[in-house]
Amino acid sequence: MINRLLIKLVFAVDGRSKFVPPLREGYSSNGIVLTNSICSAGELLEISMSYAVGLVQQAVNVVTDSYMRSPIDYFEMTRARPSFSATLMIGTWSRLSFHTTDCG
């Protein structure tokens, strides 16, 4: 049973560097998009941790300019609000420059 249970990890990716043409220098607002990794619980238990890390890296690597623009276009056309019920979302602030940002 556990081998068939799917685990979906949803997380935000900073896509500010993905835009073509690039965002203007000094842009300091958000530029995130959600991506995800999916595998079975059995895979997580049976395969090495590096497998799980690889799944996350693959999900980050698919974030391109068109990936960033796709949800923007969708929300502009539909004004739909996505549902996140029964969803675990994680995020990291490890790259935020708290000590060097001048908020003015």
Side-chain angles (χ1 to χ4, degrees):
M1 177 80 146
I2 197 165
N3 288 334
R4 291 185 281 161
L5 178 65
L6 287 181
I7 306 294
K8 181 177 185 179
L9 174 64
V10 177
F11 54 97
V13 173
D14 180 357
R16 291 177 288 184
S17 66
K18 307 294 185 176
F19 284 104
V20 178
L23 296 172
R24 64 175 164 60
E25 189 171 328
Y27 180 83
S28 60
S29 191
N30 288 327
I32 62 169
V33 68
L34 297 178
T35 189
N36 67 78
S37 296
I38 301 174
C39 70
S40 72
E43 287 175 305
L44 286 178
L45 293 172
E46 295 169 6
I47 303 175
S48 68
M49 182 61 79
S50 63
Y51 172 75
V53 171
L55 290 175
V56 171
Q57 288 174 331
Q58 288 174 10
V60 170
N61 289 336
V62 301
V63 177
T64 61
D65 176 73
S66 60
Y67 191 100
M68 290 294 295
R69 293 177 189 277
S70 179
I72 295 170
D73 295 341
Y74 175 78
F75 292 129
E76 283 182 349
M77 288 185 337
T78 65
R79 301 291 183 205
R81 292 184 175 202
S83 170
F84 295 111
S85 63
T87 301
L88 169 65
M89 294 180 60
I90 63 168
T92 178
W93 286 12
S94 63
R95 293 188 181 171
L96 290 177
S97 54
F98 288 115
H99 304 291
T100 59
T101 303
D102 180 5
C103 297

